[in-house]
Amino acid sequence: QVQLVESGGGLVQAGGSLRLSCVASGSSFQINEMGWYRQEPGKQRELVAAISSGGDTNYAGSVGGRSTISRDNAKNTVYLQMNRLEPEDTAVYYCNAQGIDTSKYKFFEVWGQGTLVTVSS
């Protein structure tokens, strides 16, 4: 079973930067897409950015130009570098991974526990 552990959240002033990390662990798996989502209180979870195993990226319009997603396939790790943060970016950020359980040849999708990002004005 694949597990995701996020780190890097915290409190930052508007205009500052944060780098989130997410490490996948487990056995017999191959991850295809990894991504970051965020959820504000009372709102639906929304995509921030995603990246394929080949490096193709997809960004939500709200973070376009201010965030960069990257991954290290050898370390099963995905990063989200967020710059010029705004109070509106305050949310719980969740890591997501989709891939194949190679022991069963079965698709899986897993979520991390979330990391809180708070941007003060």
Side-chain angles (χ1 to χ4, degrees):
Q1 186 166 346
V2 179
Q3 293 184 323
L4 303 177
V5 177
E6 301 124 331
S7 60
L11 174 64
V12 64
Q13 288 189 331
S17 299
L18 280 177
R19 188 192 195 208
L20 306 183
S21 300
C22 171
V23 181
S25 63
S27 61
S28 305
F29 66 92
Q30 174 184 309
I31 295 177
N32 296 332
E33 184 170 287
M34 300 188 80
W36 289 95
Y37 291 71
R38 68 186 185 186
Q39 188 169 22
E40 300 172 58
K43 295 188 177 181
Q44 286 190 330
R45 194 172 297 186
E46 63 177 7
L47 173 71
V48 176
I51 184 168
S52 71
S53 57
D56 294 327
T57 58
N58 178 32
Y59 292 92
S62 59
V63 301
R66 298 188 296 119
S67 295
T68 302
I69 189 170
S70 60
R71 66 188 281 178
D72 184 333
N73 291 331
K75 296 181 179 179
N76 291 313
T77 301
V78 63
Y79 307 95
L80 183 68
Q81 176 67 44
M82 300 187 292
N83 302 319
R84 304 194 304 280
L85 283 162
E86 304 168 353
E88 293 73 22
D89 295 316
T90 295
V92 177
Y93 285 70
Y94 294 92
C95 180
N96 172 274
Q98 301 174 32
I100 303 295
D101 179 331
T102 56
S103 68
K104 303 174 183 176
Y105 292 98
K106 188 175 181 181
F107 172 83
F108 72 83
E109 179 176 21
V110 294
W111 293 89
Q113 80 284 357
T115 185
L116 177 62
V117 172
T118 303
V119 184
S120 63
S121 57

